[in-house]
Amino acid sequence: MTKPNILTVDDDPQVSAAVARDLRSRYGPEFRILRASSGAEALDVLDKLALRDQAVALIAADQRMPRMTGIELLERARPQAPGAKFLLLTAYADTDVAIRAINDIGLDYYLLKPWDPPAQRLYPVVDDLLDDWRRANPDHTSDLRVVGARWSDRSHEIKTFLARNYVPYRWYNIERDAEASRLRDLAGAAPEDMPIVLLPDGAVLKSPSTLELASALGLRTRAEQPLYDVCIVGGGPAGLAAAVYAASEGLSTVIVEREAPGGQAGQSAAIENYLGFPKGLSGSDLTQRAMAQVSRFGAEVVLANDVVGFESRGQVRAVLFGSKDIEARALIIATGVSYRRLEAEGMEALSGRGVYYGANASEASQCEGDDVYVVGAANSAGQAALNLARFAKRVVLVVRSGTLEATMSHYLIQRITSSPAIEVRYRSEVVAVHGDGHLESVTIADRDTGGTEEVPSSWLYIFIGASPRTSWLGDDVVRDERGFVVTGHDLLNPGYPPRWPLTRAPFALETSVPGVFAAGDVRLDSMKRVASAVGEGAMSVYLVHRYLGTV
């Protein structure tokens, strides 16, 4: 198999030789390192690679070249190398230009010259860029295969589980692909067995549950220890941050996650206001980086298990999974929130069949050329609309209020209102959905006039409200009327039942049960931002240490 390519572009022969040497010494076994001495020569190289269907993983270009700057080259290179990562080599005086290029041409990173020593200043940057490229361009030779129907809610559930757990797969539509019918027959599957999953080792799973699928893939679905220092329920940003800090500080740590790591943030196509990432990063990227840290420090992650109850057993806190449980000396609740159900006629029958709550970033391509409707006015809805607009013919954002300013970040509003592919329908709401087996049309009502309009569409994505996942906590953990967990000094508010049992005041993130903490979106009056969830996850571990020092 031909190696993917890394192209370096610099008109200074010494600099060109140096960067090629440094890249070859580290990446030569996996990538072919190519050199060009000008923008024109680089474009000619890219043309030849495109004709040969040879992948380009990275283009590293000097900014100050005669006749064509590095930014001009990278902008022109995008059609020939659409998936390549762009690295600009520049002087300090050009940093303003480089920062603008992040938005203008999708520059991934700029690096100040000189980059000596490369082990500290070059390789960490290139390592990150190439890791991102590998994730976007996996080796498909050992992929599992999924055979199902396009509008099957079970097929959608399995594909979503695989995508969110970063398991590469190939999808075969039984209604359109001849190969799908052949695979179904080879597997001996009947129509009622669909969808089926064919594993690389030849095993066949017929309409598996997510727990069965996780077990077959070798994902951990059971805890290994009888007692932990801390159990974290929920694998979103707050839970992952808590796990990193807890495990790195020597606490035996387990995370329990019912779906996949990352939470709602993990499905985001872009998180652009997270500190330290000027280009932004996807929720998938953030989650994979966090999971690598979690694994590095030795925390366990138990997947595909839905917590159904909670008990205090003396000084031990237990979370229940039906017939199983996990015991820990302290518990951190980081279950986040789920999207609130839309009250509209026909929703139940079409859920998972064109009507979806939330959207994984990888799903956007299935809407290519279609009209897509998105309900919601917060950042999650805005990011989804922008991601879907990359493929859809038109994206219509349906908003109940008359403005986006109160609920969406300014940078997102600017991008949405300037996109020719996105239309915003203010003072509107979806009141009904229609279809035979899958979504075919949506009825939208004008909140001012009361008039309605039925529009054709096969895609409706819903991002409304926030419903915390806390029913499993029972009566001992105080929550507000919407289910958000009450913590810290709010527990002493006379508006809540007097449940705090100790003479000391509760710690800042502590719930009404000593030793049980809440972090992130599940907590009452949390900020509902990724950065604040990460901060609360880290803070909760500090408070766990304080609690464990008192018992």
Side-chain angles (χ1 to χ4, degrees), residues 300-335:
E300 289 182 34
V301 181
V302 176
L303 295 172
N305 277 279
D306 200 4
V307 176
V308 298
F310 158 74
E311 289 181 359
S312 290
R313 300 172 180 171
Q315 298 300 321
V316 170
R317 308 292 176 247
V319 292
L320 313 179
F321 312 88
S323 61
K324 304 186 296 293
D325 58 39
I326 292 178
E327 293 188 337
R329 299 168 64 205
L331 172 65
I332 297 173
I333 305 163
T335 46

Side-chain angles (χ1 to χ4, degrees), residues 106-348:
L107 179 68
D108 292 287
Y109 208 93
Y110 65 90
L111 189 66
L112 297 180
K113 297 189 298 184
W115 56 85
D116 287 329
Q120 296 178 18
R121 302 187 60 186
L122 176 66
Y123 297 152
V125 171
V126 177
D127 283 350
D128 273 353
L129 294 176
L130 293 179
D131 282 347
D132 288 347
W133 184 84
R134 290 186 191 96
R135 284 194 289 269
N137 299 270
D139 176 11
H140 290 285
T141 56
S142 61
D143 287 359
L144 58 79
R145 293 166 290 177
V146 180
V147 182
R150 183 187 191 194
W151 301 115
S152 161
D153 53 347
R154 289 285 297 116
S155 293
H156 179 261
E157 180 183 348
I158 286 174
K159 290 193 294 179
T160 299
F161 179 83
L162 293 172
R164 294 192 60 197
N165 283 283
Y166 315 110
V167 179
Y169 70 91
R170 281 177 280 170
W171 164 248
Y172 295 88
N173 185 345
I174 194 65
E175 298 159 345
R176 295 186 176 182
D177 301 333
E179 180 67 7
S181 298
R182 188 183 75 84
L183 291 172
R184 182 188 63 186
D185 294 341
L186 286 173
E192 59 269 20
D193 295 326
M194 306 296 287
I196 59 172
V197 178
L198 292 84
L199 302 178
D201 63 4
V204 177
L205 304 179
K206 299 178 180 180
S207 190
S209 67
T210 53
L211 181 59
E212 291 169 338
L213 181 56
S215 299
L217 293 172
L219 302 178
R220 181 174 291 161
T221 59
R222 292 179 178 271
E224 293 187 351
Q225 300 181 33
L227 178 67
Y228 295 84
D229 290 324
V230 59
C231 174
I232 303 161
V233 182
L240 292 173
V244 167
Y245 279 87
S248 68
E249 293 170 10
L251 298 177
S252 57
T253 305
V254 62
I255 303 179
V256 183
E257 169 55 50
R258 72 172 187 172
E259 295 175 351
Q264 284 188 6
Q267 300 181 64
S268 177
I271 303 170
E272 299 187 62
N273 55 1
Y274 193 69
L275 184 67
F277 292 87
K279 190 191 174 186
L281 75 169
S282 69
S284 171
D285 190 15
L286 177 63
T287 301
Q288 290 187 70
R289 290 169 186 265
M291 283 296 293
Q293 288 178 292
V294 167
S295 299
R296 174 190 167 198
F297 291 120
E300 289 182 34
V301 181
V302 176
L303 295 172
N305 277 279
D306 200 4
V307 176
V308 298
F310 158 74
E311 289 181 359
S312 290
R313 300 172 180 171
Q315 298 300 321
V316 170
R317 308 292 176 247
V319 292
L320 313 179
F321 312 88
S323 61
K324 304 186 296 293
D325 58 39
I326 292 178
E327 293 188 337
R329 299 168 64 205
L331 172 65
I332 297 173
I333 305 163
T335 46
V337 294
S338 56
Y339 293 113
R340 190 161 42 82
R341 295 288 158 174
L342 179 65
E343 299 297 328
E345 181 185 342
M347 290 292 295
E348 192 65 30

